[in-house]
């Protein structure tokens, strides 16, 4: 018995020792971090294991799931005392408490899935903060997002495990260093999540930014990778800095950079700063935090999808995953160290940022129909930007400001229903950036687009006002409830065609089995004018007992502008039995995908149909196009180099009645041939003066347009223009085309951009450039979108022309 008790005692002691044994990454993973890639489910398990091993110092929270149902995590790392009072710390920060002391540091990894060292570095950095660098936590709370893009990262890691050689093949030409389409960089819908912070079109972005805006940390770092031959990049950033960025935000970038440089110099690692990566476009992981008050920064390690576990570089060195991880761990720890050392200054300067609101424009007024205003109000809500509605005539004060439509400073009077957005709020700097009429560039050599003015992106009119508008008072009011009731006695229901919401309504009632018509020319009835494109749900064509109930249900659900009509004999225009009243088809849609196409543009179209219009669309690899054509009515050809002209089956399908929609660079395949109704626009070549070798890169931007906004001339008789009173296009390139006949959307003679950079040598050739239109091809139609109307999913006003093209063109 005594022997049995001793055995039980020693076994229990052994188990207790094992339970209390120090946690190490290798003990849990079975390998040292950097020796292998870690799939996402193991990353999730690792952080929960860390939490179990260090329960007093780390808290792991699941914030949501990706489209492919992978978990999204946030990890809070701090002292035992601080971790117990996280909510108190958060509230002190957001309320700018006088006794706030801690620096809040947010570290984000792997927003691009194939920049795979980031998540591995996150695992090691968290472990180091919980062990040998725990002293850094005395003055900081660290929030860590180990993987912003789990779907993309697992796509890359699975690729590498599929093609990676054993032993590791370091030659760049080997399969493991050449990803298959679409690569691991984007998320499920092939979006670049690093350009989606402000727009939040993707579920990962929406969840992340919601969490971010609950904290608004003092410091935010976005960990990236670049080409395999590049040394490490860290701040200070390159020009242009946006003019709203404060001196302190600039200075602390230098402070951080100096601290990193000390570690890199000691280790003999190469690095660079002040080049390439600027702080301008507002939807990046460095700029969005910067405009929200953080010290926002990007760190770039050489590697990315070409690097694998190891690869030979152009100078003959071998770049290993372990090296890439070590560099990211070093800068991550250095960031926390520097923030801890400067905690009091970070707190003071952030509080100053919140209080000092000095901008050229201090109020922005938006106006438009409810259907067009609602999407931007949704965006403002996601960004925690406050807005108010002018709800009574007593608020209709006189003011003056920059008129977005005319480009002039004009007097105006506030009207009931106007939306007013002030910069005198927590997110005032972000408001100023998103709504600014013209972006100021300190340097025209930029990394991304240079214009994004939201009223133009959302198809709204309005004013930028220098004064702080203070009506008495501005009170948010709920949306007015419609008193519409579909019932017996109406011969038709008319729905104004004006926004994506109307298109969602159309798709929904079609899926419910209703027949829908549209009036091609418009009409007048009972004192009201109905524009071309107005939808008609005819009672006589929908003889089913639940017809009125379905109309009621979907009209309320989508909030469309709907009217009941008691007669089909109109007061002006053509009656409902006219040939100008046509049935809206329910087209079968395909989207080409594969090596010949831009994965980003494929994703924009795919996401638009599945997540926005909520209409089925077939994603079709180019090798399967011949088998698919007989099952399609509409086919999208995304940007890329697909040989449309050389595909006889595709050309025959269009001639027999198909609608082919061609976007951006894909147009080149047709512009080079006769008979497709489009050609490159001839322009006067501008002679180039000799340029020194050192200025060649800067000289090249004279031939570029880096995301500039132009007003368009529209042909309101064209079905592609249904629902538009005006349109601003975002030009993403300088190439110009001419579409046969009159285009639906075009630039004016001697057109000038209202915002954004346009190179000196290509300004003149934008005169009368065509933007979008369609041409007949046999019994079918080819639709051309020279500028991408679905760009990054945020150019809201472009979406209606896409819907117009699938429903109304070729009818």
């Amino acid at each position: 018995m005594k022997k049995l008790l001793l055995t039980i005692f020693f076994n229990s002691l052994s188990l207790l020792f094992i339970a209390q044994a120090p946690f190490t990454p290798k003990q849990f993973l079975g390998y040292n971090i950097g020796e292998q890639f870690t799939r996402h489910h193991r990353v999730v398990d690792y952080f929960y294991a860390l939490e179990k091993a260090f329960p007093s110092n780390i808290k792991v929270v699941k914030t949501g799931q990706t489209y492919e149902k992978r978990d999204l995590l946030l990890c809070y790392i701090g002292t035992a005392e601080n971790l117990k009072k996280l909510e108190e710390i958060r509230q002190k920060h957001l309320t700018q408490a006088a006794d706030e002391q801690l620096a809040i540091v947010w570290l984000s990894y792997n927003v691009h899935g194939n920049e795979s060292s980031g998540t591995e570095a996150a695992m090691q950095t968290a472990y180091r903060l919980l062990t040998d660098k725990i002293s850094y936590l005395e003055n900081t709370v660290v929030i860590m997002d180990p993987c912003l893009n789990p779907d993309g990262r697992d796509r890359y890691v699975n690729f590498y495990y599929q093609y990676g050689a054993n032993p590791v093949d370091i030659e760049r030409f080997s399969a493991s260093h050449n990803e298959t389409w679409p690569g691991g960089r984007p998320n499920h819908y092939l979006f670049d999540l690093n350009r989606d912070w402000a727009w939040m079109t993707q579920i990962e972005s929406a969840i992340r930014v919601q969490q971010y805006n609950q904290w608004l940390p003092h410091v935010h770092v976005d960990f990236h990778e670049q080409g395999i031959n590049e040394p490490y990049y860290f701040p200070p950033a390159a020009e242009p800095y946006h003019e709203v960025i404060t001196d302190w935000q600039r200075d602390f970038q230098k402070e951080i950079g100096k601290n990193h440089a000390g570690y890199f110099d000691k280790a003999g690692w190469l690095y660079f700063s002040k080049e390439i990566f600027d702080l301008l476009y507002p939807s990046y992981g460095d700029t969005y935090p910067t405009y929200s008050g953080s010290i926002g920064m990007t760190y770039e390690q050489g590697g990315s999808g070409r690097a694998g576990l190891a690869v030979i570089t152009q100078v003959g060195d071998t770049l290993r995953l372990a090296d890439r991880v070590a560099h990211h761990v070093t800068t991550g720890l250095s960031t926390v160290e520097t923030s801890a050392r400067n905690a009091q200054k970070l707190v003071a300067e952030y509080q100053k940022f919140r209080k000092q609101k000095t901008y050229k424009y201090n109020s922005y007024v938006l106006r438009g129909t409810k259907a067009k205003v609602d999407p931007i109000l949704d965006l403002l809500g996601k960004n925690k930007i406050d807005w108010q509605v002018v709800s009574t005539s007593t608020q209709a004060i006189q003011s003056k400001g920059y008129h977005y439509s005319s480009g002039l400073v004009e007097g105006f009077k506030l009207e009931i229903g106007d939306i007013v957005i002030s910069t005198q709020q927590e997110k005032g700097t972000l408001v100023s950036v998103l709504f600014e009429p013209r972006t100021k560039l300190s340097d025209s050599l930029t990394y991304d687009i240079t214009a994004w003015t939201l009223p133009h992106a959302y198809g709204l009119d309005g004013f930028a006002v220098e004064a702080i508008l203070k009506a008495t008072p501005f009170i948010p009011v709920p949306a007015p409830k419609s008193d519409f009731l579909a019932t017996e006695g109406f011969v038709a229901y008319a729905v104004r065609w004006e926004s994506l919401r109307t298109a969602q309504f159309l798709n929904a009632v079609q899926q419910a089995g209703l027949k829908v018509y549209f009036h091609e020319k418009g009409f007048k009835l009972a004192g009201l004018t109905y524009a071309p494109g107005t939808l008609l749900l005819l009672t006589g064509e929908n003889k089913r007992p639940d017809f009125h109930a379905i109309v009621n249900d979907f009209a309320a659900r989508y909030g469309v502008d709907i009217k009941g009509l008691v007669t089909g004999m109109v007061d002006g225009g053509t009656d409902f039995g006219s040939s100008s009243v046509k049935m809206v088809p329910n087209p079968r849609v395909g989207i080409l995908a594969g090596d010949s196409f831009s994965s980003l543009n494929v994703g924009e179209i795919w996401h638009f149909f599945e997540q926005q219009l909520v209409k089925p669309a077939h994603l079709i690899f180019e090798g399967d196009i011949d088998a698919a054509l007989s099952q399609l009515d509409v086919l999208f050809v995304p940007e890329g180099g697909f040989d449309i002209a050389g595909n006889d089956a595709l050309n025959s399908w269009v001639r027999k009645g198909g609608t082919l929609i061609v976007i951006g660079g894909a147009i080149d395949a047709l512009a080079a041939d006769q008979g497709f109704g489009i050609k490159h626009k001839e322009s006067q070549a501008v002679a180039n003066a000799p340029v020194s070798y050192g200025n060649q890169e800067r000289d090249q931007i004279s031939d570029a347009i880096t995301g500039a906004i132009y007003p368009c001339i529209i042909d309101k008789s064209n079905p592609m223009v249904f629902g538009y009173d005006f349109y601003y296009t975002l030009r993403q390139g300088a190439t110009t085309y001419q579409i046969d006949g009159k285009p639906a959307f075009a630039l004016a003679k001697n057109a000038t951009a209202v915002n954004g950079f346009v190179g000196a040598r290509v300004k003149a050739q934008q005169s009368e450039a065509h933007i979008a239109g369609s041409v007949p091809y046999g019994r079918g139609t080819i639709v051309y979108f020279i500028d991408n109307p679905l760009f990054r999913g945020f150019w809201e006003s472009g979406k209606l022309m896409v819907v117009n093209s699938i429903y109304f063109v070729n009818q």
Side-chain angles (χ1 to χ4, degrees):
M1 181 68 178
K2 185 176 180 182
K3 185 175 180 182
L4 177 61
L5 290 173
L6 283 172
T7 301
I8 293 171
F9 171 77
F10 283 117
N11 283 343
S12 300
L13 189 65
S14 175
L15 288 171
L16 182 64
F17 176 79
I18 292 171
Q20 294 180 341
F23 176 98
T24 67
K26 185 174 183 178
Q27 178 193 64
F28 178 80
L29 296 170
Y31 53 86
N32 291 312
I33 292 175
E35 291 179 346
Q36 295 183 30
F37 290 116
T38 310
R39 285 190 169 97
H40 186 69
H41 73 281
R42 292 288 286 153
V43 174
V44 171
D45 291 345
Y46 173 90
F47 276 97
Y48 282 122
L50 270 185
E51 183 181 45
K52 187 175 181 180
F54 304 94
S56 298
N57 297 105
I58 180 171
K59 178 182 179 182
V60 180
V61 177
K62 176 182 172 180
T63 58
Q65 286 189 320
T66 67
Y67 290 109
E68 296 177 12
K69 307 305 179 187
R70 292 181 176 88
D71 287 352
L72 295 166
L73 301 182
L74 276 184
C75 307
Y76 298 87
I77 304 173
T79 64
E81 180 186 1
N82 289 335
L83 223 58
K84 290 177 183 176
K85 54 181 184 180
L86 277 177
E87 181 58 21
E88 179 185 334
I89 292 168
R90 188 178 77 88
Q91 290 298 334
K92 279 188 176 184
H93 176 55
L94 294 181
T95 59
Q96 306 167 69
D99 61 343
E100 183 187 7
Q101 296 178 337
L102 297 172
I104 301 165
V105 180
W106 188 302
L107 305 177
S108 293
Y109 297 86
N110 243 131
V111 70
H112 293 143
N114 61 4
E115 297 176 9
S116 49
S117 70
T119 293
E120 309 293 341
M123 293 194 293
Q124 182 73 354
T125 303
Y127 177 70
R128 295 284 302 279
L129 286 171
L130 294 168
T131 53
D132 63 307
K133 299 301 181 184
I134 198 165
S135 63
Y136 292 176
L137 303 179
E138 291 298 322
N139 292 327
T140 62
V141 169
V142 176
I143 304 173
M144 179 179 287
D145 189 332
C147 188
L148 280 69
N149 183 6
D151 292 349
R153 188 173 193 277
D154 260 8
R155 189 186 308 125
Y156 173 75
V157 173
N158 290 338
F159 158 81
Y160 190 82
Y161 275 118
Q162 183 177 7
Y163 291 104
N166 189 13
V168 173
D169 190 335
I170 65 173
E171 296 294 344
R172 291 192 298 271
F173 54 74
S174 69
S176 60
H177 299 298
N178 292 277
E179 287 181 85
T180 53
W181 191 93
R185 180 182 174 91
N187 75 333
H188 170 78
Y189 279 110
L190 311 184
F191 270 66
D192 184 333
L193 295 181
N194 190 41
R195 285 150 172 87
D196 194 44
W197 276 73
W199 320 134
M200 287 174 266
T201 68
Q202 303 300 291
I203 193 170
E204 298 92 342
S205 306
I207 291 170
R208 174 186 358 108
V209 178
Q210 180 190 43
Q211 295 294 322
Y212 184 91
N213 283 332
Q214 290 179 17
W215 278 92
L216 298 176
H218 297 101
V219 176
H220 179 267
V221 179
D222 202 18
F223 289 84
H224 285 262
E225 290 189 275
Q226 52 189 330
I228 59 174
N229 297 311
E230 302 298 330
Y232 201 97
Y233 163 83
F234 50 68
E239 292 287 352
Y241 280 65
H242 196 285
E243 61 182 329
V244 299
I245 296 174
T246 67
D247 290 342
W248 163 248
Q249 288 173 316
R250 289 171 174 260
D251 291 343
F252 196 73
Q253 287 216 351
K254 296 174 186 175
E255 182 82 11
I256 287 270
K258 288 177 181 177
N259 207 62
H260 296 347
Y263 287 109
F264 274 57
D265 288 340
K266 185 176 180 180
W269 298 336
L270 291 176
Y271 57 88
F272 70 100
S273 64
K274 304 179 287 292
E275 296 180 86
I276 302 174
F277 303 104
D278 59 64
L279 290 173
L280 188 70
Y281 172 68
S283 204
Y284 277 134
D286 53 9
T287 50
Y288 184 89
T290 297
Y291 300 146
S292 300
S294 296
I295 311 298
M297 296 173 288
T298 289
Y299 297 169
E300 295 269 358
Q301 162 63 44
S304 199
R306 294 296 299 275
L309 286 179
V311 67
I312 192 165
T313 67
Q314 65 183 8
V315 296
D317 290 337
T318 300
L319 175 65
R320 303 182 187 279
L321 177 61
D323 303 325
R324 294 149 58 196
V325 171
H327 300 162
H328 268 338
V329 171
T330 299
T331 56
L333 294 174
S334 173
T335 299
V336 180
E337 178 191 33
T338 310
S339 300
R341 191 168 60 237
N342 292 275
Q344 300 228 340
K345 184 68 170 171
L346 282 165
V347 169
E349 290 293 338
Y350 179 83
Q351 293 190 359
K352 187 189 297 183
F353 175 92
R354 287 280 305 276
K355 291 170 184 172
Q356 294 181 354
K357 303 290 186 184
T358 306
Y359 314 100
K360 179 177 180 180
Y361 299 108
N362 288 289
S363 303
Y364 298 92
V365 177
L366 304 179
R367 58 179 51 157
T369 65
K370 184 178 185 303
K372 290 188 176 181
V373 167
D374 279 355
I376 202 169
L377 297 185
D378 179 59
L379 182 73
L380 297 180
K382 288 179 179 178
N383 282 290
K384 287 192 69 175
I385 292 172
D386 296 330
W387 52 271
Q388 294 82 32
V389 178
V390 178
S391 55
T392 69
S393 58
T394 61
Q395 297 173 333
I397 60 177
Q398 195 77 32
S399 188
K400 72 173 183 177
Y402 173 91
H403 191 187
Y404 286 108
S405 292
S406 69
L408 303 173
V409 175
E410 298 175 0
F412 70 98
K413 198 172 188 178
L414 286 174
E415 300 174 357
I416 293 176
D418 282 353
I419 305 298
V420 179
I421 307 157
S422 171
T423 58
Q424 306 306 299
Q425 59 173 295
E426 182 176 73
K427 287 296 194 80
T429 299
L430 183 63
V431 169
S432 176
V433 173
L434 294 180
F435 287 90
E436 60 191 357
R438 185 170 288 274
T439 306
K440 182 179 179 181
L441 296 178
S442 60
D443 191 323
S444 54
L445 194 60
T446 62
Y447 195 68
D448 211 294
I449 64 172
T450 53
W452 46 81
T453 313
L454 285 190
H456 298 319
Y458 279 75
L460 298 170
D461 197 6
F463 298 86
V465 182
E466 293 185 16
I468 299 172
L469 295 181
K470 291 183 178 179
T472 333
F474 284 121
I475 304 173
V477 295
K481 292 185 178 179
S482 172
D483 56 2
F484 170 77
L485 180 64
T487 185
E488 300 289 342
F490 291 121
V491 302
Y493 299 100
V495 180
R496 296 187 189 278
W497 185 258
E498 56 182 350
S499 70
L500 180 60
R501 177 184 292 176
T502 325
Q504 292 167 336
F505 167 83
L506 167 62
N507 178 57
V509 296
Q510 283 188 328
Q511 301 307 321
L514 298 190
K515 295 178 182 178
V516 186
Y517 292 76
F518 72 99
H519 205 296
E520 192 173 41
K521 297 180 179 178
F523 61 97
K524 293 181 180 180
L525 184 61
L528 297 176
T529 299
Y530 296 87
T534 296
L535 301 181
L536 293 170
L537 291 97
L538 304 175
T539 304
E541 297 297 314
N542 290 280
K543 294 178 179 177
R544 45 189 292 178
D546 59 351
F547 171 61
H548 300 287
I550 291 174
V551 172
N552 257 332
D553 179 21
F554 287 110
R557 192 180 305 182
Y558 292 96
V560 295
D561 186 347
I562 186 169
K563 297 286 188 298
L565 307 177
V566 296
T567 179
M569 178 176 283
V570 301
D571 301 328
T574 56
D575 297 332
F576 294 170
S578 166
S579 61
S580 60
V581 175
K582 301 178 178 180
M583 183 181 287
V584 182
N586 189 0
R588 300 165 298 174
V589 178
I591 308 161
L592 285 180
D595 291 339
S596 297
F597 304 99
S598 159
S599 62
L600 292 172
N601 192 212
V602 171
E604 287 160 351
I605 304 165
W606 183 21
H607 181 267
F608 174 74
F609 278 95
E610 284 198 1
Q611 296 294 323
Q612 298 176 62
L613 189 57
V614 196
K615 178 179 175 62
H618 302 284
L619 204 61
I620 304 163
F621 286 125
E622 55 195 276
D624 297 319
I625 183 173
D626 290 1
L629 286 172
S630 64
Q631 304 300 313
L632 301 176
D633 303 300
V634 175
L635 180 65
F636 282 81
V637 181
E639 297 225 32
F642 182 68
D643 183 13
I644 307 170
N647 190 302
D648 293 338
L650 180 57
N651 286 298
S652 174
W653 171 81
V654 181
R655 287 194 195 95
K656 291 177 181 177
T659 299
L660 188 69
I661 300 178
V662 190
I663 301 177
I667 294 171
D668 279 343
L670 298 178
D673 285 80
Q674 299 293 322
F676 291 103
I678 193 167
K679 62 183 179 181
H680 284 280
K681 181 185 174 187
E682 295 181 10
S683 59
Q684 284 295 128
V686 178
N688 295 353
V691 176
S692 64
Y693 179 83
N695 285 329
Q696 286 181 2
E697 181 184 19
R698 187 165 295 278
D699 178 70
Q700 289 171 1
I701 64 173
S702 292
D703 297 312
I705 295 178
T706 50
I709 300 171
Y710 281 86
C712 286
I713 296 171
I714 61 177
D715 175 6
K716 297 196 76 170
S717 67
N718 192 311
M720 287 181 68
V721 183
F722 286 171
Y724 286 95
D725 293 316
F726 57 86
Y727 181 70
Y728 287 79
T729 188
L730 180 65
R731 296 236 71 200
Q732 299 122 47
T735 306
T736 53
Y737 299 90
Q738 268 188 307
I739 302 169
D740 284 358
K742 186 176 183 180
F745 300 85
L747 303 189
K749 188 173 184 178
N750 302 319
T752 302
V754 297
N755 197 8
F757 176 79
V758 179
R761 289 197 291 265
V762 295
K763 281 182 180 180
Q765 74 186 57
Q766 303 311 307
S767 178
E768 300 180 298
H770 293 187
I771 300 303
S774 63
V775 294
Y777 190 72
R779 295 200 304 273
T781 300
I782 303 175
V783 175
Y784 293 109
F785 292 133
I786 294 164
D787 288 345
N788 176 9
L790 299 177
F791 182 70
R792 294 182 185 168
F794 92 95
W795 202 256
E796 188 72 21
S797 62
K799 296 172 183 177
L800 193 61
M801 72 168 73
V802 176
V803 179
N804 287 344
S805 298
I806 67 168
Y807 285 119
F808 304 132
V809 173
N810 199 25
Q811 297 309 309

